[in-house]
């Protein structure tokens, strides 16, 4: 089956996959390599905590810290997806769809098979694959 | 032994003194009773799974398991496999004589509620966060309690009643475990104390105190920082509910980690912001007879740039003065009075000013383990202390802890027998000392007319008591027959075990503080040294050199004594150099700094210049004070 895909669709698919799959470093608080979506999740957790318990202690600091990380990485990954899409399109416009699917599949399989994440935010599994990192 | 009249008198005095400590509990007398007192080694600072931060690090050992460990049984520690098996077994080479589980009174209820399905609060958002994202939950909750005005979680209710009542369960567990582990038979093999840690940390300044109860009669509820946010309020609670109350409990409080107190541990203003007065000083010196001078979060003895040129002061120093310093190193200067010696010296200044010394305390060490492993102090056995995000044990780490931290030390009490009353009285009269881990034995007596050859006398201890006072005491008035005090100072190296012999001693030192018209002064005297060169250690194997002495003893006379000046003396017993825990870990992991391929991720401190690889273990005695006639 040949998958045809427009450039914008391919770019969005790669970006979303990168948000969920690509481990990015957390630069302070705790050494970690986790997906950007995981940082968005932590941002949400802190935000809900502030709503429920109030902005005590380092809650606001953590909110800004996680939100900042998440937004910066989302932007970087957007640019990266754009660059990759351009490269693939230049190589062969017809192969854009299959190449995108192949890349996402490869990333998915790698993230599932290997413990590529280092996540001290997890309760039990510091080194985790994709199936554990969001558990 | 020649029984001189003096020695006979000493024996009589001590025999009378043997019954000086009041028996306040029902128990068999100890079969092994020594009127000249023996050193008992223990740990008064132990956290278990009942402490919020320990639980957040995956610690499963409760108070019962901690006491079993202290008595010599092995203990499995985290991380645990899915089937519950631990990743590592730890065990003391030698059991302790006594221990106290000192879980945090703050968050005692919340920790239980977050961990126990069905309890109120279990399904709350913040408990869910704590269970699912422990590190994040720790940061959110701990920092809230580290604010200037901490508040309870919303699920505690407006008056915190729900959480305070939930703390009753773990408080009962702590008491029951202490009772079960306490040997009330004539064998007197092991003593426990009921206690807790009042966890004051306003603005991340550590003003924690470990509260120690004399016997099974204790407060109904442990006092908490949130509801009683100053040291003075803690003392008020202890006075109202114990010393002056009808519960019949007797109690002291032991400050620790003044090194990260931002200078708030030894304040010279009272709660009202006024300079402390005589009543304040007497109150403090009655309740706080000891200070924990060393533990895993560093040494609190002395200030490297202090009044004295103390070449050995750099031992296990943290380069910051607050609990959050590890997260932002280099941003804070060290304020005054964060170290015990500074406070001891300031106490003399205050004594001269108001007629009482607020900082009349003795010194001990302990671990502050958060793994439920009291007394696990050997450098080659350090599993980390497991408190806080830096020392997480969610995985088996490359290094078990921050290179700045250490295994902690031991508390040593000179007592007639191993029972609660005898040990508590030793704490109260400050006849105690701390070690950085090894079981060094040291005697320190002060008097006016010890003969210079007293070290050669077989009855030196009896004469030490008969002709003077032991560590923790007051020299008393200068007699007409003398012009300078003399001190009997003796140290014996840790005897060690068959597989790990102790390290010989390098020297004995006297640290003196005094106050004259020009202000406070400190001076360090080397009073006895092992013959030969300073000891060495082979870093590749951690084998010790042969240098050092198995024991040292001297009678030292203060050459700078002035009868009109307040003074304080304590002794430091210093071992020859040996490997620090970091070097043991690096060697075990095969690190060779000349070969970068052996330096795996996380092991970089093995080869940097800023992390100490060797140390000189030591003991610090409680002081002996001199007060001039008014």
């Amino acid at each position: 089956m040949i998958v045809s895909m427009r450039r914008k669709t391919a770019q969005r698919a790669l970006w979303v996959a990168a948000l969920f799959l690509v481990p990015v470093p957390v630069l302070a608080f705790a050494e970690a390599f986790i997906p950007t979506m995981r940082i968005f999740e932590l941002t949400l957790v802190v935000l809900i905590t502030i709503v429920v318990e109030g902005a005590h202690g380092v809650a606001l600091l953590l909110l800004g810290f996680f939100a900042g990380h998440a937004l910066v990485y989302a932007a970087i990954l957007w640019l990266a997806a754009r660059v990759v899409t351009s490269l693939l399109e230049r190589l062969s416009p017809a192969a854009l769809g299959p190449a995108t699917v192949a890349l996402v599949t490869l990333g998915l399989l790698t993230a599932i098979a290997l413990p590529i994440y280092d996540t001290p935010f997890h309760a039990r599994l510091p080194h985790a694959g994709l199936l554990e990192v969001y558990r | 032994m020649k029984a001189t009249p003096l020695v006979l008198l000493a024996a009589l005095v001590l025999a009378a003194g043997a019954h000086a400590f009041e028996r306040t509990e029902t128990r068999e007398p100890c079969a092994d009773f020594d009127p000249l007192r023996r050193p008992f080694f223990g740990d008064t600072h132990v956290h278990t799974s009942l402490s919020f931060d320990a639980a957040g690090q995956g610690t499963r050992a409760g108070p019962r398991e901690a006491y079993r460990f202290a008595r010599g049984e092995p203990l499995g520690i985290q991380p645990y496999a899915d089937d519950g098996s631990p990743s590592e077994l730890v065990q003391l080479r030698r059991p302790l004589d006594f221990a106290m589980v000192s879980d945090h009174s703050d968050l005692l209820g919340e920790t239980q509620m977050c961990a126990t399905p069905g309890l109120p609060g279990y399904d709350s958002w913040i408990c869910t966060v704590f269970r699912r994202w422990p590190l994040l939950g720790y940061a959110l909750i701990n920092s809230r309690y580290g604010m200037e005005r901490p508040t309870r979680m919303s699920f505690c209710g407006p008056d915190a009643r729900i959480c305070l009542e939930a703390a009753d369960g773990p408080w009962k567990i702590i008491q029951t475990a202490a009772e079960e582990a306490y040997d009330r038979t004539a064998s007197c093999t092991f003593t426990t104390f009921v206690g807790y840690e009042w966890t004051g940390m306003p603005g991340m300044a550590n003003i924690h105190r470990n509260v120690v109860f004399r016997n099974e009669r204790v407060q109904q509820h442990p006092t908490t920082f949130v509801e009683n946010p100053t040291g003075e309020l803690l003392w008020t609670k202890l006075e109202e509910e114990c010393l002056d109350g009808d519960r019949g409990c007797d109690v002291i409080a032991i400050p620790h980690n003044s090194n990260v107190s931002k200078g708030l541990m030894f304040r010279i203003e009272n709660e009202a912001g006024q300079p402390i007065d005589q009543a304040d000083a007497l109150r403090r010196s009655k309740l706080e007879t000891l200070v924990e001078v060393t533990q895993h979060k560093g040494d609190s003895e002395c200030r490297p740039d202090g009044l004295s040129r103390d070449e050995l002061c750099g031992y296990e120093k943290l380069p910051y003065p607050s609990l959050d310093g590890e997260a932002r190193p280099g941003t804070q200067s060290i304020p005054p009075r964060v170290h015990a010696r500074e406070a001891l010296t300031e106490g003399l200044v205050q004594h001269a000013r108001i007629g009482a010394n607020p900082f009349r305390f003795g010194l001990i060490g302990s671990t502050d383990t958060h793994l439920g492993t009291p007394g696990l102090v050997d450098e080659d056995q350090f599993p980390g202390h497991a408190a806080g995000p830096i020392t997480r044990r969610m995985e088996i780490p490359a290094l078990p802890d921050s290179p700045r931290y250490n295994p902690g030390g031991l508390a040593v009490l000179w007592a007639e027998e191993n029972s609660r009353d005898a040990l508590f009285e030793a704490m109260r009269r400050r006849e105690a000392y701390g070690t950085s881990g090894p079981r060094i034995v040291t005697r320190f007596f002060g008097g006016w007319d010890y003969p210079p050859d007293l070290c050669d006398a077989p009855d030196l201890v009896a004469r030490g008591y008969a002709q003077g006072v032991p560590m923790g005491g007051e020299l008393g008035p200068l007699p007409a027959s003398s012009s300078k005090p003399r001190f009997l100072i003796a140290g014996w190296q840790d005897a060690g075990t068959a597989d790990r012999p102790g390290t010989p001693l390098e020297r004995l030192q006297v640290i003196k503080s005094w106050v004259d018209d020009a202000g406070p002064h400190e001076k360090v005297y080397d009073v006895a040294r092992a013959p030969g060169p300073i000891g060495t250690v082979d870093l590749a194997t951690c084998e010790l050199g042969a240098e050092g002495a198995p024991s040292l003893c001297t009678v030292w006379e203060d050459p700078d004594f002035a009868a009109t000046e307040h003074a304080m003396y304590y002794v430091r017993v210093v071992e020859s150099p040996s490997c620090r825990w970091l070097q043991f870990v690096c060697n075990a992991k095969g690190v060779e700094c000349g070969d970068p391929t052996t330096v795996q991720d996380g092991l970089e401190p093995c080869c940097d210049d800023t992390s100490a690889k060797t140390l000189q273990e030591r003991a610090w005695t409680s002081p002996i004070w001199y007060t001039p006639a008014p």
Side-chain angles (χ1 to χ4, degrees):
Chain A
M1 185 181 76
I2 295 174
V3 182
S4 64
M5 198 177 280
R6 288 169 50 186
R7 182 184 170 173
K8 279 206 165 176
T9 308
Q11 186 179 324
R12 280 180 192 151
L14 284 173
W15 182 54
V16 170
L19 288 175
F20 276 93
L21 300 179
V22 173
V24 294
V26 176
L27 299 176
F29 181 58
E31 287 178 23
F33 276 90
I34 52 177
T36 304
M37 280 310 292
R38 180 73 163 146
I39 305 180
F40 272 118
E41 183 190 10
L42 293 170
T43 308
L44 189 64
V45 168
V46 177
L47 185 64
I48 296 172
T49 304
I50 290 172
V51 170
V52 172
E53 292 288 343
H56 301 286
V58 295
L60 279 177
L61 191 69
L62 282 175
L63 181 68
F65 172 77
F66 285 132
H69 268 72
L71 292 172
V72 167
Y73 285 131
I76 291 172
L77 292 174
W78 171 257
L79 287 175
R82 191 169 168 169
V83 170
V84 171
T85 311
S86 296
L87 286 173
L88 291 175
E89 198 176 34
R90 269 186 213 170
L91 286 173
S92 167
L96 180 60
T100 302
V101 171
L103 268 180
V104 171
T105 306
L106 184 66
L108 196 62
L109 291 176
T110 304
I112 289 172
L114 302 174
I116 60 174
Y117 307 107
D118 184 1
T119 170
F121 305 105
H122 196 286
R124 296 196 51 212
L125 291 165
H127 294 294
L130 183 67
L131 298 183
E132 292 88 22
V133 76
Y134 290 107
R135 195 167 67 181
Chain B
M1 179 178 121
K2 189 179 173 186
T4 64
L6 189 63
V7 174
L8 288 173
L9 177 64
L12 283 171
V13 168
L14 286 160
H19 303 285
F21 71 83
E22 183 189 358
R23 187 79 76 189
T24 65
E25 57 178 357
T26 304
R27 62 156 300 133
E28 288 184 56
C30 292
D32 195 357
F33 184 98
D34 185 347
L36 293 177
R37 298 176 181 141
R38 287 186 296 135
F40 293 99
F41 291 85
D43 188 345
T44 58
H45 198 166
V46 178
H47 294 275
T48 73
S49 57
L50 299 182
S51 286
F52 158 74
D53 45 1
Q57 295 292 315
T59 294
R60 294 187 186 175
R64 282 190 181 90
E65 290 75 28
Y67 284 131
R68 283 204 288 265
F69 178 83
R71 300 187 72 162
E73 291 186 24
L75 178 72
I77 59 174
Q78 67 267 42
Y80 295 91
D82 285 340
D83 64 359
S85 57
S87 59
E88 189 178 346
L89 275 180
V90 289
Q91 186 172 20
L92 294 178
R93 289 187 168 97
R94 289 168 284 185
L96 295 176
D97 298 313
F98 68 93
M100 181 180 85
V101 166
S102 55
D103 280 308
H104 297 293
S105 58
D106 286 275
L107 296 168
L108 196 57
E110 287 90 328
T111 305
Q112 189 81 347
M113 293 160 81
C114 284
T116 312
L119 285 185
Y122 179 82
D123 294 319
S124 66
W125 172 254
I126 195 69
C127 280
T128 305
V129 171
F130 184 55
R131 286 192 300 273
R132 191 170 158 78
W133 300 277
L135 184 59
L136 183 59
Y138 173 86
L140 290 167
I141 297 171
N142 199 52
S143 66
R144 176 176 185 156
Y145 281 80
M147 296 173 71
E148 291 288 348
R149 288 196 177 84
T151 54
R152 294 270 175 186
M153 298 296 161
S154 57
F155 64 72
C156 293
D159 56 358
R161 186 181 52 81
I162 297 170
C163 289
L164 291 172
E165 284 180 358
D168 287 349
W171 183 225
K172 188 68 184 169
I173 290 171
I174 290 167
Q175 294 173 60
T176 304
E179 183 57 41
E180 287 171 359
Y182 181 32
D183 183 359
R184 288 182 187 269
T185 72
S187 302
C188 294
T189 56
F190 187 67
T191 293
T192 61
F193 289 97
V194 182
Y196 61 85
E197 179 176 348
W198 174 84
T199 316
M201 47 180 193
M204 301 309 283
N206 180 96
I207 55 170
H208 299 184
R209 267 85 166 178
N210 286 326
V211 174
V212 187
F213 294 96
R214 179 179 188 126
N215 50 38
E216 73 279 7
R217 292 187 292 282
V218 302
Q219 286 175 282
Q220 187 172 4
H221 310 287
T223 302
T224 53
F225 168 61
V226 177
E227 282 71 32
N228 305 275
T230 67
E232 286 92 333
L233 288 171
L234 169 67
W235 302 337
T236 299
K237 277 285 184 185
L238 298 180
E239 288 166 341
E240 286 176 356
E241 297 179 16
C242 280
L243 302 180
D244 304 330
D246 55 8
R247 293 186 69 82
C249 42
D250 198 357
V251 67
I252 61 168
I254 304 175
H256 72 83
N257 280 115
S258 59
N259 60 332
V260 283
S261 70
K262 291 184 176 176
L264 299 185
M265 185 69 85
F266 302 120
R267 293 183 63 195
I268 52 175
E269 302 85 29
N270 60 21
E271 203 176 344
Q274 301 298 314
I276 51 174
D277 59 20
Q278 191 178 67
D280 294 324
L282 291 172
R283 184 186 192 207
R284 178 168 191 146
S285 62
K286 179 183 178 186
L287 274 162
E288 299 195 343
T289 58
L290 296 174
V291 161
E292 187 182 292
V293 74
T294 195
Q295 59 123 278
H296 77 246
K297 287 197 297 293
D299 166 87
S300 296
E301 183 208 353
C302 53
R303 190 182 183 94
D305 60 350
L307 293 172
S308 55
R309 284 185 185 170
D310 186 348
E311 61 174 324
L312 297 182
C313 191
Y315 168 83
E316 297 294 353
K317 286 289 178 297
L318 296 184
Y320 46 78
S322 72
L323 282 166
D324 56 352
E326 192 77 16
R328 47 193 187 106
T331 60
Q332 301 167 291
S333 59
I334 310 291
R337 288 189 304 283
V338 299
H339 296 103
R341 190 190 298 172
E342 292 176 272
L344 288 166
T345 305
E346 178 64 31
L348 303 178
V349 175
Q350 295 298 324
H351 199 162
R353 184 179 72 83
I354 58 178
N357 184 345
F359 306 125
R360 189 183 168 85
F361 54 76
L363 304 175
I364 61 163
S366 277
T367 61
D368 197 5
T369 173
H370 283 61
L371 292 164
T373 53
L376 190 59
V377 290
D378 287 350
E379 298 286 329
D380 63 343
Q381 286 189 314
F382 184 40
H385 76 275
I390 293 147
T391 56
R392 63 195 163 93
R393 275 196 66 93
M394 307 307 287
E395 59 183 315
I396 300 172
L399 292 179
D401 215 319
S402 162
R404 292 195 180 101
Y405 292 163
N406 73 89
L410 295 176
V412 194
L413 305 174
W414 282 106
E416 296 85 348
E417 62 174 30
N418 191 3
S419 69
R420 282 178 176 170
D421 281 318
L423 296 180
F424 189 87
E425 281 298 329
M427 290 191 259
R428 172 156 284 159
R429 69 174 179 271
R430 306 166 180 86
E431 195 171 351
Y433 64 96
T435 87
S436 58
R439 299 196 182 191
I440 297 166
V441 174
T442 180
R443 291 278 198 178
F444 179 40
F445 294 97
W448 298 104
D449 49 6
Y450 290 130
D453 60 350
L454 186 54
C455 286
D456 300 326
D459 57 346
L460 80 165
V461 173
R463 291 167 69 177
Y465 278 113
Q467 295 175 252
V469 293
M471 59 180 78
E474 167 77 37
L475 269 174
L478 175 69
S481 60
S482 181
S483 61
K484 289 176 179 171
R486 285 184 180 170
F487 298 89
L488 171 60
I489 305 159
W492 295 264
Q493 76 166 70
D494 181 353
T497 57
D499 68 320
R500 190 171 185 269
T503 304
L505 304 182
E506 182 192 280
R507 57 180 129 169
L508 303 178
Q509 297 178 302
V510 170
I511 289 91
K512 178 188 177 186
S513 298
W514 73 98
V515 181
D516 61 19
D517 293 340
H521 306 272
E522 295 172 4
K523 190 169 180 180
V524 179
Y525 301 84
D526 280 356
V527 298
R529 263 186 179 272
I534 291 175
T536 56
V537 57
D538 180 349
L539 283 181
T541 62
C542 287
E543 296 269 331
L544 302 175
E547 297 89 346
S551 66
L552 293 168
C553 182
T554 189
V555 173
W556 178 76
E557 184 177 84
D558 178 4
D560 304 314
F561 180 75
T564 56
E565 297 166 355
H566 288 265
M568 174 281 304
Y569 307 82
Y570 71 90
V571 166
R572 200 163 56 189
V573 184
V574 184
E575 284 188 352
S576 292
S578 53
C579 272
R580 192 169 176 260
W581 67 269
L582 179 62
Q583 190 62 35
F584 280 109
V585 173
C586 299
N587 288 352
K589 292 186 182 281
V591 173
E592 292 178 24
C593 294
D595 178 2
T597 61
T598 64
V599 187
Q600 298 164 6
D601 278 355
L603 295 176
E604 295 82 4
C606 291
C607 300
D608 69 29
D609 292 333
T610 58
S611 303
K613 312 300 186 304
T614 63
L615 78 171
Q616 285 187 276
E617 304 264 24
R618 58 198 63 198
W620 307 263
T621 72
S622 293
I624 291 174
W625 287 268
Y626 169 73
T627 306

